[in-house]
Structure formats: C-alpha cells, structure tokens
Amino acid sequence: MTDQPTKQKLWGGRFTGKTDPLMHAFNQSLKYDQRMHAADIRGSIAYAKALRRVGLLTEEEEVKMTQGLDAVGREWATGQFQPAADDEDIHTANERRLSELIGSLGGKLHTGRSRNDQVATDMRLWLLGEVDDIESSLKGLVRIMVERADKERDILLPGYTHLQRGQPIRWSHFLLSHAFSFRNDLERLQQLIPRISVLPLGSGALAGNPFSIDREFLAKELGFTSLAENSMWGVGDRDFIVEFLMWSSLTMTHMSRLAEDLIIYSTAEFGFVTLSDAYSTGSSMMPQKKNPDSLELLRGKSGRIFGDMAGFMMTLKGLPSTYNKDLQEDKEPLFDTVDNISASLKIAEGVIATMEVHGEKMQQALTMDVLATDLADYLVRKGVPFRETHHVSGRAVALAEARKCQLNGLSVEDYKGLHEKFSDDVVEVFDFEASVERRTSIGGPSRKTLDRQIAVLRAALDQK
C-alpha cells in the first residue's frame, strides 16, 4: 500500500514516505527559533495586506487572516501557544495554527512566499528590535563612565604600560580611555543598522515573486529602510549576521580589556577599586575571599562570543548560492551572542556605577620615578635635545636607585652634577598634579583636555 503524501509539512506534496523521527528532530528548529514569533506574525500580516493589494485576497479575507494572525500572536505572548509534533519551525507552527483558527483560508498566506525569504525577513526584523536595546545599553555604559569621570577628576594614579608604572594620569582619563573604545563601538553599531534594515520579503525561494507583490509597500509597512535588489542575494545573504557577530566580538574585546584592568586594580596588591557586593561572590572554602566574578565572566564571555562568530563564518564560507539548510545554523550563534552581549553591557554598567574608588591608594602608588619623563622635559624646555635629556634623566634614576631614595631625594647639587642646565627650580618637577596639568594637548589628562573628551562623548550619546 502506498503511503499518502505528508501534507502537514509545507513541502509534503512531493514526498510519500514518512520522515525518520530522528531526522525530524535533527531538522526541527522551533525549539530555538520560536523567539522570532512576533517578527514572523508581523511579517505575515504585512504580506497578507500585500496579497490583497494585488487581488489575491479579498478585503474580507485579509481582515479574517489578520485577526487570525493577531490571535496566534496573543497565544505566544500569553504562553498559551501549543506546538504540534509536526511543527518544524516558527513559520510552519504559526501557519498551522492560523489554519486551525480560520480554516483553509490560512493556506493562501504562503502564496508566492517561501520560507527562504520569510526566515531572512524574520531574522532581520528580530535583530533590528534587539539592536535597539543593545544600543541603549551601550549608551548606558558609556554614560555612567562619563559621569564618573566628570565627578572624580581630582583622583590621580599611575598610568601603566607593560603593567609597569609609566606616568601620572587622572582616574578620569583612565575611565574615558575605555569609554572612547565603546564610543567607537556605538558608531559601528549605528553604521550597521542600515545593512540589517534591508527587506528580503518578496524574493520568493530564489527567483522573485510571480504575482507583482509591491515590495516597496512591504518595506514601508515593516519599517525597512531599503529592500533586497536581487532575489537570489536576498534569500542567501547572512552578511548582516556576520557583521553583527563581528561587531559583538570587537565590543566584547573592549569589554574584556576593561574587565582585566579592573580585576587587577581590585586585587589587594593594588587596592584601587572595590566591587560592590552585588557584583562579587565568595569562595566555597576561603571565607576571606571576595571574587570579581562579574568582571571575570565579562572577560570569559568575550571568548564565547568570538567563538559564535568564528563558528558561523566556517559554516558560511563554503555554501553555494542562495538558500541552503546550513543557514539554519545562523540562529543559535546569533541568539547566543545577542543574549550574552545584552547581559554583559548591563552588568558592566552596574559594576562601574557601584564600584568604590580608593583615591588614597592610587595616590600612594605614585612614586617619583613616574616623573622621570617630566625631568627630561624640564631640560628640553631649557634647550637640551630630548635624546640627551632622556639619557640624563636615566642617570638620575640610576643614582636615586643606588642611594635607595626617590628622585626628589636627590639634592639640587646632585642634579647640577648631572647636567649644567639643572637649576634650583628643578624641585618644581616633583609635583604629580603639575605634571598632569602640563599635558594640555588634545587627548591629554589635564582638566582642560578632560572637559573636551567629556563633551565629545556626551555629543556621541546624543546622536541618533
């Protein structure tokens, strides 16, 4: 006896044999793509309107179909939607439920539409909504860094290169150095949005729509800023996902570097900052421990998100044109990345907002050797070439080390012995505040240059 076609599946007419249950489970994506249910409903409502505009639905049919789709959407929103065993993905689940509610009319919804252009539309719609939230969270992080920098500009600390003390800076300058990385991330995200906001709907399976569907109407109805100009590209393109994953990887790289700095600064050896209890945990064995787990997780999430990007790139690189089932593997890395970067930005904002800064510990870490460059600059201002002053300053450091004292522990006569251009005013070099305030070129740590940096960042936050 010949099996009947598997009509419950959208592609069932071609097949008479049953699907292996293992293959059904292997093929099914509803367990994770159901989070696009609202985007799928929204796209279908717009498509129903487009079908009526070309006479493929009557006005009454469009109203009935839209009401049915709204009802399906409410079921998802209230947790009442009941998936069926044969639902492969969010698209088949929604269409199956629509047909249960409005009868055979539901079968008209797929006229001229393929899951190929449907899923590409859903993913772009869904990601656009998520990017709005991510952009807001990123701005929140930058804003709290700017506000703390504005209020805490009196605090001085050593600036480090190679994790060795280099020159004195302001705590505000340190915070803003990270804020500018995130400012660039904000700009890149805003530049990415137009490339996400491209409408594939109406591209069909690969060769376009045969019913003269008004795609410009669809783009306007769904809020897309442009539409896919080539149907084959429209159904097969996932560059917008790759770009978002790349953007997330770079943003989380910046997050990881900030986390690393603060982890180091929070150690007992530094003691520059203390994390709030809300963002710390303890040890199961050592009662005294207060671990910066929030920062360590932020550092760890960066590797996870980079892995999502690298894994999907490997999936994408060998695919032939248009849609292939491999592209089903775009969703889980995208969803995972969105979830983790969204949480990371909010956690980082909380950490920065609530951490305690110990200005006195930072001040104690300032030793006179961080003014060695200022000592060289002193001679430069008296006409000595920098290469010579650098050597002289180095000899002063060596002399202080030999005498087991700080640079300001050497006498004026000691300095005069090192170079004839030293005079009594050399003692004015040994002032950390004055050192910082001398650096007034754009980008420096002086109060004047910090005002400019803060203004630049605040302007970036105000841009749409």
Side-chain angles (χ1 to χ4, degrees), residues 76 125 135 148 178 240-243 246 252 256 261 326 357 361 369 383 397 414 429 454 456:
W76 279 112
L125 271 178
E135 181 181 3
R148 288 209 74 154
H178 286 287
F240 69 100
I241 294 177
V242 172
E243 271 200 89
M246 287 179 169
M252 287 302 294
S256 182
D261 277 345
D326 314 53
V357 177
K361 292 285 288 187
D369 56 309
V397 171
D414 289 329
V429 169
I454 288 169
V456 168

Side-chain angles (χ1 to χ4, degrees), residues 116-122 124 128 194-209 213-220 222-240 322:
N116 296 357
D117 62 342
Q118 187 177 358
V119 67
T121 302
D122 287 2
R124 288 176 182 270
L128 284 169
R195 291 190 291 278
I196 302 173
S197 188
V198 180
L199 176 75
L201 192 57
S203 296
L206 80 157
N209 188 288
I213 288 292
D214 187 345
R215 297 188 62 222
E216 290 179 331
F217 164 79
L218 284 170
K220 184 176 181 181
L222 292 170
F224 284 94
T225 56
S226 64
L227 44 82
E229 297 289 345
N230 180 286
S231 60
M232 293 176 68
W233 177 85
V235 299
D237 175 66
R238 294 299 185 272
D239 288 0
F240 69 100
T322 73

Side-chain angles (χ1 to χ4, degrees), residues 336-354:
D336 183 69
T337 293
V338 166
D339 290 345
N340 281 286
I341 197 165
S342 296
S344 294
L345 291 168
K346 293 177 175 67
I347 290 293
E349 180 183 353
V351 169
I352 299 296
T354 59

